[in-house]
């Protein structure tokens, strides 16, 4: 289905029926201008009347919305909201700022109610060219491998079987190694602290309004 964004709001029937005249399944589209861009809200509505018996055919089971843009040479039209790199808002909480910095490359381009949204990011770009709802989001989380800390013992299996003297000998060098590491890091990048704002990432009965729309997201 191709939808133009010229109108502020409209309904598009999905069952070859006019959603303004019949109780049917339709896609409600609302467009709001914001800082020279457009915030688009898509709402999949099951407006069918549920009968007293045999209601299953009138239900919608795990539907999926896929959104792309027909813009010729520039299909990557989806951008996150409140991106600090583009002048977006930045929070004040120290812990949030730390997490925002760690996940500054994990961008959120849309958010949905009762469902998740995946985005196909464009390589070497802070944009996406496809958005798709999903009922089972998947994310690859890289493993963290602890580095060396001087002569400190970091192996949990070794520490678990050590006696009091072994624990003291194994862990005593750790504070000194941590202080040395932080001092070295400050010397390598003085005054280079950066902050950014973090994104805030069944069956539907007839008459329900599961939503897929724009939401706050950020990156830097």
């Amino acid at each position: 289905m191709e939808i133009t964004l010229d109108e502020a709001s409209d309904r598009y029937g999905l069952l070859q029926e006019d959603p303004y005249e019949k109780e049917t399944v339709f896609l409600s589209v609302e467009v709001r201008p914001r800082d020279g861009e457009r915030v688009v809200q898509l709402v999949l509505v099951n407006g069918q009347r549920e009968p007293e018996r045999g209601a299953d055919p009138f239900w919608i089971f795990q539907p999926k919305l896929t959104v792309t843009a027909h813009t010729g040479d520039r299909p990557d039209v989806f951008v996150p909201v409140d991106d600090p790199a583009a002048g977006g808002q930045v929070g004040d909480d120290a812990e949030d700022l730390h997490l925002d910095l760690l996940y500054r490359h994990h961008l959120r381009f849309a958010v949905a109610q009762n469902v998740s949204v995946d985005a196909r990011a464009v390589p070497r770009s802070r944009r996406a060219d496809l958005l798709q709802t999903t009922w089972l989001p998947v994310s690859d989380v890289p493993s963290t491998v602890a580095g060396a800390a001087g002569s400190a013992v970091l192996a949990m299996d070794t520490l678990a079987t050590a006696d009091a003297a072994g624990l003291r000998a194994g862990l005593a060098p750790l504070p000194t190694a941590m202080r040395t590491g932080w001092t070295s890091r400050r010397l390598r990048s003085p005054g280079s602290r950066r902050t950014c704002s973090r994104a805030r990432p069944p069956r539907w009965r007839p008459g329900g309004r599961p939503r897929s729309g724009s939401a706050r997201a950020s990156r830097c």
Side-chain angles (χ1 to χ4, degrees), residues 126-194:
R126 304 184 71 80
R127 291 172 171 258
D129 61 4
L130 181 145
L131 303 179
Q132 187 174 72
T133 60
T134 176
W135 294 96
L136 188 62
V138 178
S139 178
D140 293 328
V141 180
S143 60
T144 302
V145 180
S151 59
V153 178
L154 302 179
M156 292 296 103
D157 53 349
T158 301
L159 295 174
T161 57
D163 55 15
L167 286 174
R168 188 176 299 108
L171 299 179
L174 191 57
T176 301
M178 293 179 64
R179 285 195 298 269
T180 302
W182 281 112
T183 301
S184 175
R185 179 175 299 180
R186 287 197 299 268
L187 291 176
R188 288 197 303 268
S189 55
S192 62
R193 181 180 178 183
R194 298 178 58 197

Side-chain angles (χ1 to χ4, degrees), residues 25-138:
V25 180
F26 63 92
L27 191 66
S28 175
V29 181
E30 181 178 344
V31 183
R32 302 189 304 273
R34 178 180 177 182
D35 300 331
E37 298 175 343
R38 292 176 177 177
V39 178
V40 181
Q41 177 176 274
L42 304 179
V43 182
L44 180 61
V45 181
N46 185 0
Q48 300 177 104
R49 185 181 299 275
E50 182 180 2
E52 295 182 359
R53 295 183 179 180
D56 287 354
F58 295 86
W59 286 54
I60 304 176
F61 182 71
Q62 294 188 355
K64 176 185 291 186
L65 298 179
T66 301
V67 183
T68 58
H70 298 285
T71 56
D73 298 333
R74 192 65 189 272
D76 53 338
V77 300
F78 303 108
V79 296
V81 182
D82 291 335
D83 181 6
Q89 298 179 357
V90 178
D92 297 326
D93 184 80
E95 183 177 1
D96 284 344
L97 291 174
H98 176 68
L99 293 174
D100 292 342
L101 183 60
L102 290 178
Y103 295 98
R104 61 189 179 276
H105 298 305
H106 294 261
L107 311 176
R108 179 176 295 184
F109 297 89
V111 69
Q113 296 184 7
N114 303 324
V115 72
S116 296
V117 179
D118 285 336
R120 187 173 66 190
V122 177
R124 298 179 298 278
S125 170
R126 304 184 71 80
R127 291 172 171 258
D129 61 4
L130 181 145
L131 303 179
Q132 187 174 72
T133 60
T134 176
W135 294 96
L136 188 62
V138 178

